[in-house]
Amino acid sequence: MIHNTIKHLPKLHQIILGVSGVLLILMIFWPSDEAEASRQVRAIELIPGMQYELPMPVFEPSAAIDDAVFEAENYITHKVSRGDTLAKIMSKHKQSPQTTYKLDNAGEYARTLRRIRPGDSVYLQINEAGQLVSLKYPLSNTETLMIKAQDTDFVSSIETKQVETSLNFAQGTIQSSFWNAGIAAGLTDSKIMQLAGIFGWDIDFAQEIRPGDSFNMAFEELYVDGEFIGYGDIVSAEFINQGDVFTAIKYTDGNYYTPEGRSMRKSFLRAPINFSHVSSNFNPKRFHPVQKRIKPHRGVDYVAPVGTPVMAAGNGKVIRSAYDRFNGHHVFIQHGERYQTKYLHFTRRAVKEGEWVKQGQVIGYLGSTGMVTGAHLHYEFLVDGVHRNPRTVELPKADPIDKKEKDKFLLIADKQMSLLENNKRIMLAMQ
Ligand SMILES: [Zn+2]
């Protein structure tokens, strides 16, 4: 919102502006005249196939271990409390120290019992003579430590349950916001974030989502013994943003590709801020290109609460991390030889000059320092020293899938695309 500040400058400044306008305008609009000097920073290479982390919560299946199942098999449930040890548990259930000793020495797996955690459950099967017959200690939804009496000793093993995966579909059309549409489609918070994460290199979810945009996706549901234990990955998804269709298919390497086999992952994120923080996605005032009316505007403004984390749009080197009265706390990043990104008005900076940063890394926190009318992130994107619109600028093409994998991928993509299409037809018929 630097563009708004000229009007609000005090009288004295307006006079100076008249007298030595060029100089002041340079200071306001070209706050980074050191850019030239920093262009000889050496090229940064993205490592193909490397996972660049995004600040995206990954869903972990919840530990839904069912006491009732064990109790039905005549197991006694012992809830592990703070300070409980195997010895304490055994003595509580009237087992001899010898039994405890034998349990502890029941093989490699039994050592897990030395690290039992408060809140966990240990299940004990004790015969009519009061002797321990077996012990079960669930380690996860799918793995359970089993210790069974055998002659006068105990033997341990790990029981592994099969996780069954089934596909489910969701579809939504945006009316008020992407978040609301996701919730209405039955998605969890983390699924909504994952979906935005998959398309975060193509779509600015913070500002470019419009009513009428839509999504359609297939995702995994995980079951053990017929019981739902959690969600798996998004397998394929389509997002239509202002008429542009984006499609992503997950491959066996865990990455997402377009149906033609180009990586969804690119060298720059469309928005350096997580959409869920950006207020009023559909504020009509910001709906219309306010920025285009007030010229010249050299960046994109994201309005969000003070303290919202701001991410590096791409891998690069911090060439400036400083404070001045116009830009407030600001950070500039050089990406290879041609690209530079600038982030202004932080309340606090999180990186130092000379530091190398990765895409998605937090570099500062949104604020209202410098010449601003309110808290926001002012974001600029420069190509060969020229300001460009980060939402529409042509970016380097993403890496295609490995040649050796391409045929296999295309088969998967074909199948996924028809599943998505099929779901669309079904949902349409239901309306
Ligand atoms: Zn601005």
Side-chain angles (χ1 to χ4, degrees), residues 1-3 297 300-301 376 378:
M1 287 183 186
I2 282 179
H3 42 98
H297 189 256
V300 181
D301 294 323
H376 74 286
H378 175 98

Side-chain angles (χ1 to χ4, degrees), residues 1 7 17 21 26 85 153 163 187 190 195 257 356 381 385 388 412 419 424:
M1 287 183 186
K7 295 181 293 193
L17 198 68
L26 271 176
T85 60
D153 275 322
V163 178
L187 301 182
S190 60
L195 187 59
Y257 298 88
W356 290 86
F381 194 99
R388 304 291 296 273
I412 293 176
L419 280 174
K424 232 191 223 175

Side-chain angles (χ1 to χ4, degrees), residues 117-134:
R117 290 171 308 188
D120 282 356
S121 293
V122 176
Y123 301 90
L124 308 168
Q125 203 177 26
I126 295 168
N127 68 15
E128 280 170 12
Q131 291 162 326
L132 183 74
V133 179
S134 70

Side-chain angles (χ1 to χ4, degrees), residues 1-4 291 296-302 344-345 371-372 376-380:
M1 287 183 186
I2 282 179
H3 42 98
N4 286 329
Q291 287 103 352
H297 189 256
R298 304 190 158 271
V300 181
D301 294 323
Y302 293 95
L344 314 185
H345 314 310
M371 290 248 196
V372 292
H376 74 286
L377 166 70
H378 175 98
Y379 174 54
E380 295 181 14

